[in-house]
Amino acid sequence: MRGIGKGQRIHLYVIPEVAELIQRELNKCGRGLASLPGPNLVMAWLFINSMRSERIQYNLLQIQNASNVWRKAAMDSLLRNHSQLCSLRGEDALLRQVALFQEDVDFTIASDIRTPPSVTDTLSALIGRHADIADAHGQQALQQLLANLQQLTANELVERDFEAEASKDFDQEQEQEQE
């Protein structure tokens, strides 16, 4: 697509279901995005989806970073105490440290629809569950990760409030113009 605008063209066909999805997403954003010309609508929708995907990846990366903090401490402890583990005299603490390297996958399906916990709640629960494993430096890193996510979440809430207010103002302007 390097030649677009330099003699090459693209024909874009959007089925009605996708067009409705694009309109719905852009109406959520407010700010008059839904009134853009056709190709710009698609680009805006793709950009919004890209940002959502990046956010999900960022959240997962932060959880992985936190897991690495206590896994690193557990690995150091296991390397120091491997003789106890190999001789089947492993303490419960050592066995717990080995279990940190396993990730349980839950395939149960809930009978009702629940709001998923926020990434900060998930990370807080994980930190609380594994707080005794990380050293002081690791604890500091975990608290920094949690603070960064909380700040990001707070910024998102402010932006949502702003967008909701802007959308409300836009709707009021539309009503006044129609009257």
Side-chain angles (χ1 to χ4, degrees):
M1 295 184 55
R2 294 178 190 201
I4 300 285
K6 297 178 184 173
Q8 291 187 8
R9 293 184 181 183
I10 185 169
H11 293 278
L12 183 63
Y13 296 99
V14 179
I15 62 173
E17 291 84 4
V18 173
E20 182 181 325
L21 179 63
I22 291 171
Q23 284 294 330
R24 192 171 356 141
E25 281 294 317
L26 295 178
N27 284 337
K28 285 181 190 176
C29 293
R31 302 183 186 182
L33 289 177
S35 63
L36 292 172
N40 291 346
L41 276 176
V42 174
M43 288 188 300
W45 179 64
L46 290 172
F47 186 68
I48 288 169
N49 286 339
S50 172
M51 289 190 306
R52 183 177 295 127
S53 174
E54 291 292 327
R55 175 57 194 228
I56 290 169
Q57 289 177 27
Y58 176 79
N59 290 345
L60 289 174
L61 178 64
Q62 297 312 305
I63 290 173
Q64 288 174 348
N65 287 342
S67 297
N68 286 342
V69 169
W70 51 75
R71 285 179 178 165
K72 183 177 178 183
M75 184 60 132
D76 290 342
S77 175
L78 288 170
L79 289 173
R80 280 192 312 273
N81 301 309
H82 72 283
S83 60
Q84 291 177 353
L85 194 61
C86 293
S87 65
L88 298 177
R89 293 178 297 146
E91 300 175 14
D92 288 340
L94 289 176
L95 297 176
R96 182 170 172 248
Q97 290 171 351
V98 169
L100 286 175
F101 294 94
Q102 297 175 335
E103 289 191 17
D104 296 329
V105 178
D106 186 12
F107 292 108
T108 59
I109 299 173
S111 61
D112 57 343
I113 299 174
R114 299 180 191 139
T115 304
S118 70
V119 69
T120 54
D121 293 342
T122 302
L123 189 57
S124 293
L126 287 171
I127 290 172
R129 199 173 322 141
H130 304 297
D132 59 326
I133 296 173
D135 58 1
H137 180 68
Q139 289 290 343
Q140 184 179 6
L142 290 171
Q143 292 308 317
Q144 184 63 40
L145 277 172
L146 188 58
N148 289 345
L149 278 175
Q150 288 171 337
Q151 179 66 35
L152 194 58
T153 303
N155 290 343
E156 280 182 355
L157 292 175
V158 168
E159 287 175 13
R160 284 186 194 152
D161 290 344
F162 176 75
E163 287 175 1
E165 190 173 313
S167 178
K168 182 179 173 184
D169 291 344
F170 180 74
D171 291 342
Q172 288 174 349
E173 287 178 23
Q174 291 287 337
E175 286 179 24
Q176 288 176 356
E177 286 179 15
Q178 288 177 357
E179 290 174 0

